[in-house]
Amino acid sequence: MAPTSATRPRARWTAQCLTALRLALFGLLFVPLTAPAEAVRRDHINAELVAATTAAVPGETLTVALRLEPDEHWHTYWRNPGDSGLPTRLRWDVPASIEPGPILWPFPERQSLGPLTNFGYSGEHFLLTDIPVPADFDADALRLDVAASWLVCENICIPGSADLSLTLPVQASAQPSQWAKALQQTRQRVPTPLTAPAQFAVDGEHLRIQLAPDALPSDDALVYFPATTELASNTDTPVIRHGEAVIDIRVATSEYLGALPTESEHVVVINNQRAVVFTARQIGADALVPVDGDATAPADNAPFNLGLALVFALLGGLILNLMPCVFPVLSIKAVSVAQQSGSAAGERRLHALCYTAGVVGGFVVLAIALIALREAGERIGWGFQLQSPVFVTVLAWIMFVLGLSLAGVFEFGTRLMGMGDSLTHQGGGRGALMTGLLACLVATPCTAPFMGPAMGFAITQPAVVGLAVFAALGLGMALPFLLIGFVPAAARLLPRPGAWMLTFKQLMAFPMYVTAIWLIWVLGRQTGVNGMAVGLLGVVLIGFAIWLWGQRPQQGPARIGLAVAAWLAVAGSLAMLASPLLQPAPASAAPTEVAGAADWGVYAPDTVAELQAKGQPVFVNLTADWCVTCHVNERVALNTATVVNAMERSGVTRLKGDWTNRDPVITAVLEQYDRTGVPLYLLYPGEAGAAPMVLPQILTPQRVVDALDTL
């Protein structure tokens, strides 16, 4: 049947569609088979696997790169991360005939945070890998899979990882990809080998590297980076001198310096445009060539200055109010706040100033003792006084007496009652001052965020600077009370006074009793059962003295007799402080396990090195029995089934270092990581000599599991 006028347009339309479909299918023959990799988003960073060309060519080397793009103010790390951090790692899964090369690291930038100096990258950057494609590679496409892991940091560090893939067609020729220019610019920043001979030696407290006089340009800006870890100081400013016979690079040695390697690698950046890398062999210091040439201007390395240290200390002191070690003294602070609710503005300001003076004065006194003892050669840190069983005993007794005072045991109208009252709930300046001093003492078992860098800076500076930083720490802790005293809006938030205050004050006695029990437990951990018995006997004698004092009649010989008996009981308790039973127990006799942590091994640096040499990752927990934060972290994170199972899956060995009593080995480790106290958590990868990841001081199960995922 002949087509009608109605069917002709429909037939033409069908024919046109078929023609278009044929053209589209034909055009697909000329489209590269590349399967573009998509960028993945992780915490504060984008990651993507890219290539310099659109295809893989047999017999040629393919350049691929991990593209990382951290958020503004965030960064990742170089092959030598510096004082902290971890380098990015790649684990390839490719066809058997393909063997990817190592990461080609572009030269880094110096990143200073507090007393630490790290080496890394900010903004978009590429880590190149050259992949030779065999000439006989016979496939239509090449699929590349890589498991990438990194550490991205700002003020906090977040480990990240991603499984990335890229598929390229295998062709006789290839065109540059959209990433070709960026990868070429990155390759220009990859250090090129310098063939000139070089040598290094440790000369006193400095590392000196020497090269031939024409090995580096003398008129260009030169910046030195140590590629071998734990050899040169990362924070010291290198000095480069051009002498007639040699070029001499002088930099302080690393505080982690151990046995010297026979060879070491070094990178020098020239005009921030290109870089060279060279290997230096070890020689004796007496073989170094004397140099008296001019020094090249060093790189700009902004130090952790006093202003930043004061800000960190102020913030750390403010956060310290939220730390678990301060919870016991909140009883006294809560009573003080309640009693201010009906006070005049002038009285509130006086209370706030006196409390601030007590806190700041306490921190300054502790700082003076800490600095003086360190100058005398003692290796001690934050919370050092709690390593003394005598101090722990006295503090336990004070907590017990304060609990009795809050409970009203002293309310007999006596002078002893006034003494106890001034320590706790007296509305005047004396009570506030003593409360501030006590708050400072009880806060010392904890280290809040921001405190570590500030205190690490303070103890390395002149005494005046150190005292200023510790005073700022105390000011931060007292800041909430200052606001209550001087800001009317904050004062109006206080509850109205009433009969409830007496009940509230008595209720607050019980946290003080709990604190005394905890301190006696710490004493038992330090000295054993006999030392704990001495502490408990002192509690009984002090309670007996208070009871005798309250039984005195108003007049008569019995009044004097009971008073003398009470003071004798107090003297007896004080005399027990000289007992040899209040000495730290020998390491062999001290308890080594705590409930729920029987699988923790005993920490020693040599043990870590041996396990790493066997390919065994290690988690190190540096703690102390008097560190409340440490116990909270163990309870809510480290000893939970989630974390324990994750460590078992990762093959991690758990080691615990006990700093309850003074231990110079653990003190040295704390100093290495610019910490003045515990807790300190280190996760060592299973690679010989690899630097550990430093975990935050406040842990959650997810934070620990995320860190384990980087292994």
Side-chain angles (χ1 to χ4, degrees):
M1 182 177 65
T4 65
S5 59
T7 59
R8 287 192 187 100
R10 185 181 301 168
R12 285 196 300 270
W13 181 82
T14 302
Q16 290 172 356
C17 289
L18 290 172
T19 301
L21 180 60
R22 292 189 188 99
L23 290 173
L25 292 173
F26 180 74
L28 288 176
L29 298 175
F30 298 93
V31 176
L33 297 178
T34 306
E38 294 184 358
V40 299
R41 177 68 177 174
R42 295 292 186 265
D43 290 328
H44 298 286
I45 195 169
N46 298 320
E48 184 178 6
L49 190 63
V50 300
T53 57
T54 58
V57 179
E60 296 184 3
T61 297
L62 173 67
T63 299
V64 298
L66 173 65
R67 185 182 78 88
L68 294 173
E69 186 180 13
D71 292 349
E72 187 177 3
H73 306 305
W74 291 75
H75 60 270
T76 64
Y77 293 92
W78 187 48
R79 54 181 289 196
N80 173 13
D83 287 327
S84 64
L86 286 173
T88 300
R89 293 187 175 90
L90 301 178
R91 188 173 67 252
W92 291 95
D93 183 7
V94 296
S97 60
I98 302 293
E99 186 174 350
I103 295 177
L104 302 177
W105 299 88
F107 63 80
E109 59 191 30
R110 296 174 73 91
Q111 299 162 336
S112 298
L113 177 63
L116 307 180
T117 298
N118 298 326
F119 308 133
Y121 311 100
S122 57
E124 183 186 52
H125 56 279
F126 301 84
L127 300 181
L128 307 180
T129 300
D130 284 340
I131 301 180
V133 181
D136 59 352
F137 187 75
D138 185 15
D140 294 332
L142 171 60
R143 178 183 172 91
L144 304 172
D145 293 287
V146 67
S149 61
W150 58 80
L151 190 67
V152 60
C153 299
E154 189 196 27
N155 292 327
I156 62 172
C157 290
I158 303 175
S161 62
D163 294 326
L164 305 172
S165 64
L166 177 67
T167 301
L168 297 172
V170 178
Q171 297 178 353
S173 62
Q175 299 298 318
S177 72
Q178 62 173 321
W179 304 105
K181 182 178 180 180
L183 300 192
Q184 180 58 35
Q185 292 174 343
T186 298
R187 189 175 289 274
Q188 293 173 358
R189 298 174 66 87
V190 174
T192 57
L194 187 68
T195 57
Q199 55 194 21
F200 79 96
V202 172
D203 184 14
E205 296 183 353
H206 287 84
L207 175 72
R208 293 178 60 187
I209 307 111
Q210 295 189 336
L211 306 94
D214 57 351
L216 298 172
S218 59
D219 298 328
D220 295 338
L222 305 178
V223 179
Y224 168 76
F225 290 97
T228 298
T229 60
E230 299 185 358
L231 182 61
S233 168
N234 303 311
T235 57
D236 188 43
T237 301
V239 176
I240 304 177
R241 294 184 179 274
H242 293 260
E244 294 183 359
V246 293
I247 297 173
D248 185 270
I249 303 174
R250 177 188 174 96
V251 62
T253 55
S254 169
E255 56 184 0
Y256 313 139
L257 181 65
L260 290 178
T262 56
E263 291 185 338
S264 57
E265 272 196 298
H266 310 270
V267 170
V268 175
V269 179
I270 304 170
N271 290 333
N272 200 35
Q273 295 177 346
R274 63 186 182 92
V276 295
V277 58
F278 59 91
T279 300
R281 62 180 179 85
Q282 180 193 351
I283 61 172
D286 54 351
L288 290 168
V289 178
V291 177
D292 56 1
D294 295 331
T296 300
D300 182 21
N301 179 25
F304 189 65
N305 53 45
L306 176 60
L308 188 58
L310 292 175
V311 171
F312 271 44
L314 192 70
L315 291 174
L318 184 62
I319 298 174
L320 197 59
N321 286 287
L322 305 177
M323 302 300 287
C325 54
V326 186
F327 290 168
V329 84
L330 289 180
S331 302
I332 299 174
K333 294 168 69 174
V335 171
S336 300
V337 170
Q339 291 187 334
Q340 289 184 70
S341 56
S343 303
E347 186 176 348
R348 286 198 303 270
R349 287 193 290 268
L350 175 63
H351 187 284
L353 289 174
C354 290
Y355 175 77
T356 301
V359 176
V360 174
F363 275 103
V364 169
V365 169
L366 287 176
I368 292 173
L370 178 61
I371 294 172
L373 289 172
R374 289 179 69 91
E375 288 294 326
E378 295 287 343
R379 308 200 74 169
I380 58 174
W382 180 247
F384 68 94
Q385 68 278 11
L386 288 166
Q387 293 177 329
S388 166
V390 172
F391 180 88
V392 172
T393 303
V394 172
L395 190 58
W397 293 349
I398 290 175
M399 292 297 174
F400 173 67
V401 171
L402 291 179
L404 294 178
S405 178
L406 287 169
V409 174
F410 294 164
E411 294 180 359
F412 304 111
T414 64
R415 293 173 58 190
L416 184 59
M417 173 265 175
M419 185 193 314
D421 209 32
S422 69
L423 290 173
T424 58
H425 52 276
Q426 190 178 54
R430 184 172 54 175
L433 181 70
M434 298 304 296
T435 302
L437 286 171
L438 186 64
C440 169
L441 287 178
V442 177
T444 52
C446 279
T447 302
F450 296 103
M451 279 179 59
M455 291 192 298
F457 170 82
I459 62 176
T460 62
Q461 301 300 308
V464 175
V465 175
L467 293 178
V469 173
F470 275 86
L473 183 64
L475 180 61
M477 187 175 177
L479 193 57
F481 267 59
L482 279 177
L483 291 176
I484 292 175
F486 285 86
V487 179
R492 285 194 292 270
L493 297 176
L494 298 176
R496 295 181 178 276
W500 64 270
M501 291 175 56
L502 177 60
T503 302
F504 178 71
K505 183 191 71 168
Q506 294 174 348
L507 180 64
M508 290 298 99
F510 293 94
M512 308 310 296
Y513 298 146
V514 172
T515 305
I517 292 173
W518 166 65
L519 289 167
I520 292 294
W521 174 81
V522 171
L523 178 64
R525 297 281 296 175
Q526 290 177 319
T527 63
V529 177
N530 291 336
M532 180 187 291
V534 172
L536 290 173
L537 181 59
V539 169
V540 173
L541 286 176
I542 291 173
F544 181 59
I546 292 173
W547 179 79
L548 287 174
W549 193 270
Q551 296 300 312
R552 294 175 306 150
Q554 293 295 324
Q555 56 187 355
R559 175 181 176 85
I560 298 176
L562 289 175
V564 171
W567 283 114
L568 287 175
V570 172
S573 63
L574 295 177
M576 289 191 300
L577 295 176
S579 170
L581 298 177
L582 288 183
Q583 297 297 320
S588 58
T592 58
E593 295 182 357
V594 297
D599 57 336
W600 288 95
V602 179
Y603 167 76
D606 291 343
T607 303
V608 174
E610 292 173 2
L611 290 169
Q612 280 191 292
K614 297 176 182 178
Q616 184 88 18
V618 183
F619 185 90
V620 172
N621 171 17
L622 299 185
T623 180
D625 287 333
W626 40 260
C627 172
V628 181
T629 306
C630 305
H631 290 292
V632 172
N633 284 336
E634 291 181 5
R635 182 68 178 270
V636 304
L638 295 180
N639 289 335
T640 61
T642 300
V643 172
V644 171
N645 293 337
M647 288 188 177
E648 290 178 352
R649 288 194 302 269
S650 301
V652 173
T653 299
R654 310 202 309 170
L655 301 180
K656 177 180 288 188
D658 189 356
W659 205 49
T660 302
N661 295 323
R662 190 174 300 180
D663 188 326
V665 174
I666 294 179
T667 304
V669 176
L670 294 172
E671 291 173 350
Q672 287 179 2
Y673 295 95
D674 293 300
R675 294 285 180 84
T676 55
V678 290
L680 175 62
Y681 305 109
L682 305 173
L683 178 59
Y684 290 84
E687 301 172 11
M693 176 194 300
V694 181
L695 274 66
Q697 294 164 316
I698 305 299
L699 296 181
T700 64
Q702 190 58 47
R703 282 180 176 175
V704 181
V705 171
D706 288 344
L708 294 172
D709 288 342
T710 65
L711 295 175

